Amino acid sequence: VYRRGIFLQMCEQIHSNAGGDAPQVVRQAVIHRDLQPPGTPGVVRRDAGVRIGKIRGLHWLPVQVDLRRMRLQLPKGQQEGAGYLLRRGAHGCQRRRVHLTQHGPQQTARTEYEIPYHADIIARFNGLDKEASGRTSGNGFYYLMGDIARLSSAMLSYARDFMIDKGFTYCIPPFMIRSDVVTGVMSFDEMDAMMYKIEGEDLYLIGTSEHSMIGKFKDQIVKEEELPITMTSYSPCFRKEVGAHGIEERGIYRVHQFEKQEMVVLCKPEEAMEWYDKMWSYTVELFRSLDIPVRTLECCSGDLADLKVKSCDVEAWSPRQQKYFEVGSCSTLGDAQARRLGIRAKGENGNYYVSTLNNTVLASTRAVIAFIENNYNEDGSINIPEALRPYMGGKDIIIPKK
């Protein structure tokens, strides 16, 4: 980070001397092999008019550098007290994730009888058809049907009303966004691994409604008295899921398309951590109201994406696997997104960048898995908790077809 930062400073000064303007591209820059730590005696190249650090093996070569892209690649500083990277060994990073809190008892009583794989449970309700979706769309897609489809929609509707009752404004955003919004809300690595691009258009399918919800305020100056802005949004989500995990063949745990209820907050910088704690606690409260035990895990610094200041995962208990699995993530990004997108607030002492936060209220497929496993009965039926019954036509239980 230090080397990249110093190189960026040198490029900016060269560019400034050249009198250039956006797009910020430098055609003459320094390529070097080794920079000394800050505070060491410097040398000056008079012909460039740039003070640079003490450099070994200095070379001047014609290059092109996109300064905006380099700025966007600089990681965001992390919140004090965040989880930390244990050590870097010969085989890469060994990371520790800090167990924060467990909420609700693990359903060990349910393990007295076998809990099948979620795809097998759903199949007994005639609720999943991946063979047909394979014909229409390929691997990573699915048809939900009958009581299971109704259950998925009911959970999302319940999550929407739950957040409205918390004082959040409900919003349905655009499901496609332009590239300048994509680069404003996420890192280039995340963009390459997640986003689907529309061929021939400057449009991307959103991976989460956070993207278009934060983009809503691009290049805007909001009044300080309007903060905090608290919103909850529904959208389908589309993800390439590039990486080691891959796409699940049989079930619906990791797929290319799902639905999600999200929460997004824009606030004053000094209020960000207070909202961070509120937001993940709302997700915990919602899952507990559905009789799903959960825990929160703080992400260590080595696992944080470049823009995140602090982040934690909400994980649901799987009585089938006797372990927790991720069902949501809460993050505060400081002013990283606001700086990229030009989102400021007008205060008494001038304009300043707001802080942005996002959190999963409920993501359909993984929440359905957690719900099914934790409310599954030995005869194959699934209990419907009281909070969800108004969204399921008053049913307190659903019975399998097979």
Side-chain angles (χ1 to χ4, degrees):
V1 174
Y2 166 69
R3 292 188 180 190
R4 188 185 295 174
I6 293 297
F7 183 58
L8 178 60
Q9 291 175 15
M10 293 190 296
C11 291
E12 285 180 327
Q13 190 163 352
I14 295 171
H15 182 263
S16 176
N17 291 343
D21 51 23
Q24 298 183 18
V25 177
V26 180
R27 299 190 179 276
Q28 187 82 6
V30 181
I31 303 298
H32 55 80
R33 291 194 293 267
D34 189 25
L35 283 171
Q36 296 296 318
T40 56
V43 297
V44 177
R45 281 293 298 258
R46 297 183 184 278
D47 55 338
V50 180
R51 182 176 179 83
I52 56 179
K54 186 177 180 182
I55 299 174
R56 299 173 188 164
L58 180 67
H59 300 281
W60 287 85
L61 297 173
V63 296
Q64 289 194 0
V65 181
D66 186 335
L67 293 188
R68 182 177 183 274
R69 186 179 181 92
M70 291 185 69
R71 281 199 199 94
L72 297 184
Q73 289 176 321
L74 288 173
K76 176 68 180 170
Q78 293 158 5
Q79 175 71 22
E80 184 177 354
Y84 56 89
L85 181 66
L86 279 182
R87 66 186 179 89
R88 187 178 299 275
H91 303 288
C93 301
Q94 297 183 2
R95 298 185 175 100
R96 173 185 172 189
R97 305 179 74 204
V98 183
H99 177 199
L100 294 181
T101 316
Q102 179 178 309
H103 310 272
Q106 298 172 357
Q107 306 281 58
T108 52
R110 298 280 172 93
T111 60
E112 294 176 359
Y113 50 86
E114 181 182 357
I115 298 179
Y117 182 61
H118 72 266
D120 296 328
I121 297 175
I122 296 173
R124 297 181 65 183
F125 289 83
N126 291 334
L128 178 65
D129 191 342
K130 294 198 73 172
E131 182 180 343
S133 65
R135 294 193 300 269
T136 63
S137 312
N139 192 27
F141 299 90
Y142 54 90
Y143 285 94
L144 289 184
M145 300 174 296
D147 283 337
I148 301 301
R150 187 178 189 181
L151 175 63
S152 177
S153 295
M155 294 177 72
L156 287 162
S157 296
Y158 172 58
R160 174 201 63 206
D161 291 349
F162 181 90
M163 292 310 302
I164 291 173
D165 291 343
K166 295 294 184 184
F168 283 59
T169 300
Y170 181 52
C171 182
I172 300 177
F175 302 154
M176 290 184 278
I177 53 176
R178 291 175 173 169
S179 59
D180 58 349
V181 177
V182 177
T183 57
V185 296
M186 65 198 313
S187 68
F188 291 111
D189 289 341
E190 290 175 302
M191 178 178 171
D192 292 339
M194 179 190 298
M195 305 295 285
Y196 284 104
K197 187 176 188 309
I198 307 300
E199 186 176 357
E201 301 280 349
D202 182 26
L203 287 171
Y204 291 79
L205 292 172
I206 60 172
T208 169
S209 59
E210 167 215 341
H211 299 157
S212 46
M213 292 301 293
I214 298 296
K216 179 178 186 291
F217 299 92
K218 182 178 181 291
D219 296 326
Q220 299 299 301
I221 299 177
V222 300
K223 297 178 181 178
E224 189 175 51
E225 54 267 28
E226 295 176 354
L227 298 178
I229 297 172
T230 59
M231 300 169 292
T232 183
S233 50
Y234 161 83
S235 77
C237 304
F238 307 92
R239 299 187 180 186
K240 291 192 291 189
E241 292 287 3
V242 173
H245 298 295
I247 294 297
E248 193 171 14
E249 291 288 339
R250 289 184 58 215
I252 55 173
Y253 179 77
R254 183 172 285 106
V255 288
H256 288 309
Q257 173 188 320
F258 58 96
E259 296 170 276
K260 187 163 67 143
Q261 192 70 32
E262 184 82 356
M263 63 179 96
V264 172
V265 171
L266 280 68
C267 66
K268 299 176 183 178
E270 61 269 22
E271 297 175 352
M273 290 313 300
E274 178 183 352
W275 274 107
Y276 172 80
D277 290 333
K278 283 183 182 179
M279 290 167 74
W280 66 254
S281 69
Y282 291 155
T283 300
V284 168
E285 183 181 344
L286 179 135
F287 273 83
R288 292 299 301 126
S289 71
L290 298 175
D291 294 337
I292 303 172
V294 291
R295 73 176 181 183
T296 50
L297 278 175
E298 185 179 333
C299 297
C300 76
S301 59
D303 285 332
L304 288 180
D306 285 349
L307 303 190
K308 294 182 179 180
V309 174
K310 192 171 185 178
S311 182
C312 72
D313 291 339
V314 177
E315 298 187 331
W317 174 248
S318 169
R320 181 184 73 87
Q321 302 178 83
Q322 290 291 291
K323 68 177 185 179
Y324 288 92
F325 65 94
E326 182 185 342
V327 291
S329 179
C330 180
S331 302
T332 172
L333 295 95
D335 62 5
Q337 291 177 328
R339 286 182 178 275
R340 288 169 168 235
L341 292 173
I343 307 171
R344 293 171 291 168
K346 185 178 181 64
E348 292 183 359
N349 299 319
N351 298 339
Y352 60 89
Y353 291 105
V354 301
S355 289
T356 62
L357 302 92
N358 65 81
N359 181 35
T360 306
V361 185
L362 185 142
S364 60
T365 52
R366 294 193 182 185
V368 166
I369 295 170
F371 183 92
I372 288 172
E373 286 196 14
N374 283 280
N375 289 279
Y376 180 79
N377 298 312
E378 190 172 8
D379 63 0
S381 62
I382 298 172
N383 294 328
I384 306 298
E386 184 176 355
L388 204 60
R389 290 172 193 170
Y391 302 90
M392 289 291 292
K395 293 183 178 181
D396 59 4
I397 195 169
I398 53 176
I399 309 296
K401 308 287 185 184
K402 302 176 183 179

